[in-house]
Amino acid sequence: MFSFRGCGGRVAASFTKRQFPLPRLSSDSAGPRTPHFDVIVIGGGHAGTEAATAAARCGSRTLLLTHRVDTIGQMSCNPSFGGIGKGHLMREVDALDGLCSRICDQSGVHYKVLNRCKGPAVWGLRAQIDRKLYKQNMQKEILSTPLLTVQEGAVEDLILTEPEPEHTGKCRVSGVVLVDGSTVYSESVILTTGTFLRGMIIIGLEMHPAGRLGDQPSIGLAQTLEKLGFVVGRLKTGTPPRIAKESINFSILNKQTPDNPSLPFSFMNETVWIKPEDQLPCYLTHTNPRVDEIVLKNLHLNSHVKETIRGPRYCPSIESKVLRFPNRQHQVWLEPEGMDSDLIYPQGLSMTLPAELQEKMITCIRGLEKAKVIQPGYGVQYDYLDPRQITPSLETHLVQRLFFAGQINGTTGYEEAAAQGVIAGINASLRVNRKPPFVISRTEGYIGVLIDDLTTLGTSEPYRMFTSRVEFRLSLRPDNADSRLTLRGYKEAGCVSQQRYERACWMKSSLEEGISVLKSIEFSSSKWKNLIPEASISTSRSLPVRYTFLIQTFSHFL
Amino acid sequence: MYPKAPNDDRESLSTLLVVPRSGRGVLPRLEATQAGRAGGVAGCKSMWRGLWTLAAQAARGPRRLCTRRSSSALAPGSGATIFALSSGQGRCGVAVIRTSGPASGQALRILTAPRDLPPARHASLRLLSDPRSGEPLDRALVLWFPGPKSFTGEDCVEFHVHGGPAVVSGVLQALGSVPGLRPAEAGEFTRRAFAHGKLNLTEVEGLADLIHAETEAQRRQALRQLDGELGHLCRGWAETLTKALAHVEAYIDFGEDDNLEEGVLEQADIEVRALQVALGAHLRDARRGQRLRSGAHVVVTGPPNAGKSSLVNLLSRKPVSIVSPEPGTTRDVLETPVDLAGFPVLLSDTAGLREGVGPVEQEGVRRARESCNFLATVVASVGAQSHSDSSQRLLLVLNKSDLLSTEGPGPGPDMPPHLLLSCVTGEGLDGLLEALREELAAVCGDPSTGPPLLTRARHQHHLQGCLDALGHYKQSKDLALAAEALRVARGHLTRLTGGGGTEEILDIIFRDFCVGK
């Protein structure tokens, strides 16, 4: 196995427009000057960046194609990473040497572990992230990854050839056609197009095609996929308005302070980049009956809410909360968007009312009486592909060597996207090298649960991770993701650096040593009784009792 | 906990004891195979899904903890249409042959050509002929059940043919020649009904019991189970438990950041406690249903020459034991199955209890005592006057009442409550049968009233497992461990009811709480 990060002399990856210094030139009929990569990743979001860097870590010459290089690593919705279940995914991404956890440790402004009082299996590592810093750090990482080339361009079509007879699938992808008609060849292709497939933005009754506010959607690609016979569905999601920080009266609101000390996301970090006292607080406020009134009065101006396309139940817009649970106060968290950002993100106020009504509603809320809306909330509707059309390695059944990752598979959330990205990147690379796929089972990780749920059950609403989805929750903890996945990632996928591998090995052997020491401890039952009064051990046992016996028998006390 | 026996305070002066006791021997073996088979079916449900929906998908994780939702569930190899003789083997007036599967309609059309399909669910008279030779096979009543309104949920056909072996084999061969049809494997019709959600697991068990029911009480119990009463009861518990678990899961996944209502965990605690009480109560009379299914034991014991063997012969209406005026004729334990007042009973005749006879008879006496001792270890709780300190249900019967002088003194006033009987004249037999029926109803439960009984060891095992896990819930300090206890408990219940996927949990969470941001 190999590692680029560990072996000193870094190869500077190239960022060029329309130039391909690294790839060899294709020798097939498409022409002698056509560039040829091992893996092409389409999309520079959370799935795309992880996929591209994972493929490159595995040794594949990789091309990342994105509409705009300056949006690589953009956090297009909430300014936070992690949470309950999502933090687990980030730890697993990190265990496979993925990026997002390390970048978050360099970019957070408020680190807090949720569920601290509920047992280590369900701790939720979470942080508010500085959008600008995250994007900067991510782009720095991407542009310095060896073997990874980044290019701007919109993909219009896929190049398809005869299938390999030893695999299922009616054809095989061998490259992409860009909007300008140029072609790029590759051994495999990963699609991470997020909400861009026929993306449509909705504010009030206005609708216009866009993948994200200000970005063009991908329409040609959506048509290509449909023509190939992929089953396409439609989902919707939304994002709240952004509010000017100085227009909020924080002094009358509940303040939430970060943890001290901060717990880093990555196994490779002992600390995060910022001291707890320098971190920013969050604030809590609540909706009131006047908010309900504005929602109910203006439903006729709100086409997003009325439509039947399934939205996420767990990321509901304020409109659907008011409709489903009337006459209640709903929480609104006011979250900083960054260290020097003038914006506040009102978590819980996702809405698609016409822009002028959004400000009217917001100013009804305590603390926001004078709030200025800088950017209105909006809804997004987009195509997704039924994930039952992909294998557990995220390759499509229909088209050989074509992989899907992220929101295109019907998921929601940065962490879910990143998790799929790593797996798609690894498997696209393994596929090129004719190695067996790297599949994580439900017993091994949250990533396994995520992908197994998607590929066997499909989804009819944006899929989000919850710990309640995980059958083996007690074993799949954030603290042991490295011993579960790092060694496998190193040996089977080659996506893990030497340094991380050695660290995981050290951790594993230390744990084993600790366990064997515990196993060797023997006391009389009366001594155990003194040490752990809660455990109802029969003191009549004359034989000494081992600690492990105690653990197995009385684990529910400890 | 059994109802108090009417003969609690009797002395052991018994001339003749008739003792119902609970099942043994055959029971565990039978249960093991049944439970194993049933478990196999349950296990398959989740596996089939994987196989049908994603045949191409390679290695999956080990078996799921929970059965996933089976939306478009089709039976394994559902392409095939199966057929079989559904009535008993051998010469008879009418035999019924069934088919199930997509080619059923085609098969019916081919065998009844040139006639078209009869109207659905109406009996029609048709001439069946062999599709290869065109030779007439039989004039038969045919029934056409288009799916999903059929026993299996698939298209089904029933041929009611004359029951001669040649007719039956002719029709079976003709069906075998229709493309897409193959003979059914044992239990395959029921398996398909299960796979299509027409029957749940306890209903399948009820169906099997109904087919094998030999006594009236067994039939009543099986029919109630087939009607889904046991499943219904368990489903009610499972719903309570799923809701409690969903609320705990909501507290884990959303409690920190979202405003769940106050008291979510307290409410779950209350529900778990109520469930513990309900399960505990039900488990206490759990074994009665099993006893009814596999037979209660009744031992006849007492001093030599009291007429025990005569009574056994009288009750079983056949000469099971040799009777003679000589004491000690019966030297071993003789068992015979009988239907007593609708209850299945294994009746045991034993050697008379006396000391100081030959070694063979002493062994017989030892065995007789042993069969009573065994009983003492199985039937619990009601104290009675036996040689051991245990709890048996005893009926004191005084035989040879025909020898009592009509106006002479009856049995002494100190005699404990008893029944008088004459095996010679049959006098007192009705009273004994009535007393036995009451005892058996107490031991086996009355299958027509009260809550549905647990008919298999499997049911008891899972309910007990559920109850034990609920006990761990309260003791856990770590909420994730507490939730795990509820998951284990729910896993046990869903072995009886089916279902149990995580989607159900999420559905409840999003129905009951306004969570998410």
Side-chain angles (χ1 to χ4, degrees):
Chain A
M1 294 297 134
F2 54 86
S3 153
F4 290 99
R5 211 162 291 113
C7 61
R10 285 194 167 205
V11 188
S14 48
F15 160 48
T16 49
K17 290 190 177 184
R18 306 284 182 272
Q19 275 182 9
F20 304 94
L22 266 176
R24 71 187 146 90
L25 296 175
S26 175
S27 56
D28 59 28
S29 58
R33 305 208 60 76
T34 312
H36 196 131
F37 287 87
D38 292 329
V39 177
I40 293 179
V41 179
I42 303 169
H46 301 283
T49 49
E50 295 290 355
T53 47
R57 284 200 305 278
C58 291
S60 293
R61 286 158 303 116
T62 306
L63 173 68
L64 176 61
L65 276 171
T66 173
H67 280 187
R68 279 163 52 194
V69 169
D70 64 354
T71 59
I72 287 178
Q74 173 124 319
M75 299 169 66
S76 37
C77 193
N78 51 318
S80 62
F81 253 92
I84 301 157
K86 288 165 170 274
H88 293 69
L89 284 174
M90 288 177 72
R91 276 287 170 102
E92 293 180 5
V93 168
D94 185 63
L96 295 170
D97 225 349
L99 304 180
C100 64
S101 295
R102 279 182 290 126
I103 308 283
C104 282
D105 286 344
Q106 300 163 20
S107 323
V109 292
H110 177 118
Y111 294 86
K112 189 169 180 64
V113 176
L114 305 180
N115 270 352
R116 275 244 193 218
C117 59
K118 294 177 197 163
V122 294
W123 282 16
L125 281 73
R126 187 175 190 278
Q128 299 302 134
I129 307 290
D130 184 313
R131 289 180 191 281
K132 212 168 70 184
L133 272 178
Y134 188 87
K135 201 151 90 171
Q136 272 172 15
N137 288 326
M138 177 60 87
Q139 289 182 7
K140 203 162 72 190
E141 182 81 25
I142 290 282
L143 298 179
S144 64
T145 300
L147 294 180
L148 177 58
T149 310
V150 179
Q151 187 197 338
E152 275 188 358
V155 173
E156 192 66 18
D157 207 351
L158 301 172
I159 301 170
L160 301 168
T161 49
E162 284 299 301
E164 297 163 286
E166 67 270 29
H167 291 276
T168 54
K170 63 179 186 184
C171 54
R172 168 188 163 181
V173 70
S174 57
V176 297
V177 182
L178 303 184
V179 173
D180 62 7
S182 60
T183 53
V184 189
Y185 284 83
S186 70
E187 295 297 312
S188 55
V189 172
I190 304 173
L191 279 188
T192 67
T193 49
T195 60
F196 279 61
L197 287 183
R198 292 208 193 100
M200 187 74 86
I201 281 186
I202 298 115
I203 305 178
L205 297 175
E206 288 171 41
M207 288 178 107
H208 53 273
R212 185 161 51 198
L213 205 58
D215 287 317
Q216 284 304 303
S218 301
I219 292 169
L221 200 52
Q223 285 166 349
T224 301
L225 294 173
E226 214 163 18
K227 258 184 272 163
L228 278 167
F230 284 104
V231 177
V232 180
R234 197 121 174 108
L235 290 174
K236 67 178 182 184
T237 184
T239 192
R242 309 299 145 87
I243 302 173
K245 193 175 186 173
E246 81 280 345
S247 68
I248 300 174
N249 180 9
F250 291 113
S251 61
I252 56 169
L253 299 177
N254 293 332
K255 182 171 169 180
Q256 188 198 42
T257 51
D259 283 345
N260 188 0
S262 305
L263 191 65
F265 286 100
S266 173
F267 288 102
M268 301 301 283
N269 292 331
E270 297 297 332
T271 55
V272 299
W273 72 293
I274 185 173
K275 282 187 281 187
E277 53 269 32
D278 297 334
Q279 295 178 21
L280 303 173
C282 294
Y283 295 88
L284 179 63
T285 182
H286 290 92
T287 64
N288 53 45
R290 277 183 295 159
V291 169
D292 290 27
E293 198 182 309
I294 292 174
V295 167
L296 296 173
K297 259 190 192 165
N298 296 292
L299 282 178
H300 61 288
L301 298 175
N302 206 332
S303 60
H304 194 61
V305 172
K306 285 184 291 186
E307 285 184 28
T308 51
I309 299 163
R310 294 283 300 267
R313 291 179 294 185
Y314 28 77
C315 194
S317 60
I318 187 66
E319 291 96 327
S320 57
K321 286 193 221 178
V322 167
L323 289 174
R324 290 191 50 228
F325 294 91
N327 306 320
R328 284 202 206 173
Q329 286 201 336
H330 300 282
Q331 283 186 331
V332 178
W333 285 99
L334 301 176
E335 301 177 348
E337 293 238 324
M339 259 327 181
D340 52 6
S341 169
D342 302 328
L343 296 181
I344 288 292
Y345 179 94
Q347 180 91 269
L349 277 186
S350 167
M351 63 175 88
T352 54
L353 280 170
E356 60 281 6
L357 285 170
Q358 294 192 10
E359 191 161 284
K360 188 175 162 200
M361 179 209 278
I362 280 173
T363 50
C364 297
I365 298 173
R366 183 176 152 82
L368 304 180
E369 292 85 354
K370 292 178 182 154
K372 287 270 161 295
V373 171
I374 303 296
Q375 179 197 304
Y378 59 89
V380 185
Q381 297 182 356
Y382 56 97
D383 281 359
Y384 77 107
L385 301 169
D386 185 339
R388 284 173 293 189
Q389 303 170 96
I390 54 179
T391 68
S393 71
L394 303 183
E395 184 175 354
T396 65
H397 290 298
L398 272 176
V399 180
Q400 296 173 356
R401 298 179 176 228
L402 179 63
F403 295 77
F404 293 159
Q407 272 176 302
I408 191 173
N409 288 332
T411 61
T412 175
Y414 305 152
E415 304 80 0
E416 287 82 354
Q420 294 170 67
V422 173
I423 298 300
I426 290 171
N427 280 303
S429 179
L430 290 172
R431 184 77 163 79
V432 171
N433 296 316
R434 300 185 180 281
K435 286 186 185 155
F438 182 78
V439 173
I440 297 172
S441 86
R442 298 184 79 89
T443 64
E444 286 174 301
Y446 277 54
I447 297 181
V449 174
L450 168 79
I451 293 177
D452 187 60
D453 277 348
L454 289 174
T455 55
T456 59
L457 299 177
T459 186
S460 56
E461 64 179 334
Y463 181 101
R464 191 193 130 175
M465 201 63 217
F466 299 110
T467 70
S468 57
R469 297 191 192 270
V470 181
E471 293 86 356
F472 304 96
R473 179 167 63 193
L474 292 184
S475 314
L476 308 182
R477 299 185 306 275
D479 61 74
N480 65 7
D482 54 345
S483 36
R484 287 184 275 124
L485 298 178
T486 301
L487 308 188
R488 270 197 71 197
Y490 180 82
K491 288 173 185 152
E492 296 171 38
C495 64
V496 173
S497 72
Q498 188 67 29
Q499 192 193 353
R500 182 184 290 272
Y501 173 69
E502 280 163 12
R503 197 185 160 96
C505 288
W506 170 81
M507 177 59 81
K508 189 165 185 261
S509 61
S510 309
L511 279 173
E512 278 163 6
E513 196 186 314
I515 288 168
S516 73
V517 167
L518 284 176
K519 276 184 175 168
S520 68
I521 296 179
E522 278 187 359
F523 291 133
S524 69
S525 40
S526 54
K527 177 148 189 195
W528 279 122
K529 188 103 187 135
N530 284 336
L531 290 171
I532 312 169
E534 301 96 315
S536 52
I537 315 163
S538 154
T539 40
S540 61
R541 286 175 70 107
S542 51
L543 292 171
V545 182
R546 278 179 185 261
Y547 181 73
T548 43
F549 164 79
L550 213 63
I551 287 284
Q552 280 158 12
T553 318
F554 301 109
S555 61
H556 48 271
F557 288 107
L558 305 174
Chain B
M1 187 163 301
Y2 301 99
K4 219 167 173 233
N7 47 2
D8 246 346
D9 46 357
R10 287 176 202 173
E11 301 279 298
S12 54
L13 294 165
S14 40
T15 329
L16 192 66
L17 299 172
V18 181
V19 188
R21 75 177 203 209
S22 78
R24 63 146 211 230
V26 280
L27 168 69
R29 190 176 52 78
L30 205 77
E31 281 301 332
T33 43
Q34 296 286 1
R37 199 178 306 143
V41 172
C44 281
K45 190 176 180 188
S46 53
M47 276 175 55
W48 295 342
R49 240 200 117 259
L51 291 176
W52 330 315
T53 50
L54 277 177
Q57 184 186 338
R60 284 169 49 109
R63 212 181 80 69
R64 297 289 170 74
L65 272 183
C66 43
T67 314
R68 318 297 298 267
R69 77 172 117 98
S70 54
S71 48
S72 57
L74 294 169
S78 61
T81 298
I82 51 172
F83 66 91
L85 174 66
S86 298
S87 53
Q89 297 285 347
R91 215 177 301 274
C92 53
V94 177
V96 179
I97 294 166
R98 275 194 300 188
T99 74
S100 175
S104 290
Q106 182 63 11
L108 178 56
R109 239 186 246 113
I110 289 175
L111 261 66
T112 58
R115 306 283 298 268
D116 205 359
L117 287 179
R121 285 172 281 280
H122 277 87
S124 318
L125 193 62
R126 289 283 189 279
L127 180 68
L128 304 184
S129 31
D130 191 295
R132 293 157 301 184
S133 61
E135 191 189 341
L137 295 169
D138 189 16
R139 191 167 291 279
L141 214 52
V142 297
L143 286 147
W144 162 235
F145 301 94
K149 283 165 137 184
S150 67
F151 170 65
T152 60
E154 304 176 321
D155 289 352
C156 288
V157 170
E158 282 184 16
F159 299 93
H160 295 231
V161 300
H162 293 102
V167 176
V168 170
S169 74
V171 174
L172 289 177
Q173 276 174 22
L175 284 172
S177 72
V178 176
L181 263 68
R182 65 163 171 80
E185 287 160 26
E188 202 172 357
F189 282 94
T190 310
R191 183 163 138 165
R192 289 190 175 197
F194 174 75
H196 287 99
K198 288 280 171 181
L199 294 172
N200 70 25
L201 201 48
T202 50
E203 288 165 3
V204 169
E205 289 168 339
L207 178 64
D209 287 352
L210 187 63
I211 290 168
H212 294 113
E214 287 180 356
T215 75
E216 204 180 324
Q218 281 180 323
R219 171 183 57 74
R220 278 195 211 117
Q221 170 166 286
L223 195 59
R224 285 186 71 188
Q225 188 170 331
L226 176 61
D227 283 345
E229 281 196 46
L230 180 60
H232 190 73
L233 182 71
C234 293
R235 238 179 345 264
W237 290 330
E239 273 166 24
T240 308
L241 185 53
T242 303
K243 189 170 174 211
L245 174 59
H247 286 201
V248 173
E249 296 282 0
Y251 192 73
I252 288 175
D253 272 338
F254 300 99
E256 194 95 347
D257 241 11
D258 283 281
N259 47 345
L260 294 188
E261 290 81 70
E262 296 288 310
V264 169
L265 283 186
E266 288 73 13
Q267 187 57 37
D269 288 354
I270 291 167
E271 278 166 12
V272 167
R273 224 170 299 133
L275 192 59
Q276 273 178 304
V277 171
L279 285 178
H282 201 81
L283 271 167
R284 274 193 289 275
D285 49 40
R287 293 192 67 90
R288 295 192 299 168
Q290 288 174 49
R291 229 171 266 142
L292 177 56
R293 194 169 154 264
S294 46
H297 281 228
V298 174
V299 179
V300 183
T301 185
N305 209 21
K308 296 179 295 298
S309 298
S310 301
L311 177 57
V312 167
N313 290 348
L314 195 62
L315 288 175
S316 57
R317 293 179 213 96
K318 60 185 176 190
V320 176
S321 307
I322 299 169
V323 286
S324 78
E326 205 173 299
T329 307
T330 306
R331 296 193 168 186
D332 206 343
V333 178
L334 289 174
E335 294 183 329
T336 181
V338 294
D339 174 351
L340 278 184
F343 293 94
V345 162
L346 201 59
L347 192 60
S348 304
D349 188 13
T350 60
L353 305 172
R354 63 172 172 178
E355 307 295 328
V357 284
V360 177
E361 197 178 335
Q362 272 311 304
E363 174 62 17
V365 170
R366 195 191 63 75
R367 290 188 185 186
R369 288 195 193 284
E370 201 171 62
S371 33
C372 295
N373 278 339
F374 176 77
L375 153 86
T377 63
V378 179
V379 179
S381 85
V382 179
Q385 78 297 7
S386 75
H387 46 273
S388 64
D389 54 334
S390 63
S391 45
Q392 302 160 331
R393 302 187 150 271
L394 298 171
L395 279 182
L396 178 58
V397 179
L398 305 180
N399 189 23
K400 306 186 187 180
S401 63
D402 50 309
L403 299 182
L404 292 172
S405 56
T406 35
E407 67 273 16
D414 323 338
M415 276 297 281
H418 56 271
L419 296 160
L420 284 178
L421 173 75
S422 166
C423 288
V424 178
T425 64
E427 199 187 332
L429 182 61
D430 287 347
L432 173 61
L433 280 176
E434 179 54 27
L436 268 173
R437 197 196 61 74
E438 279 174 23
E439 291 291 301
L440 286 167
V443 170
C444 299
D446 184 342
S448 34
T449 59
L453 299 165
L454 307 177
T455 55
R456 293 180 192 234
R458 187 178 83 82
H459 303 159
Q460 175 157 15
H461 168 79
H462 287 302
L463 285 193
Q464 189 64 51
C466 178
L467 192 59
D468 293 347
L470 292 181
H472 288 162
Y473 168 74
K474 230 19 250 172
Q475 294 164 334
S476 301
K477 282 181 187 163
D478 177 331
L479 193 61
L481 289 177
E484 188 67 20
L486 288 191
R487 288 175 169 203
V488 170
R490 179 167 176 252
H492 278 295
L493 273 190
T494 52
R495 297 291 169 87
L496 303 180
T497 60
T502 53
E503 278 302 318
E504 289 173 30
I505 301 276
L506 292 174
D507 287 344
I508 294 175
I509 292 178
F510 293 116
R511 186 194 67 207
D512 289 0
F513 304 111
C514 184
V515 287
K517 296 164 290 182

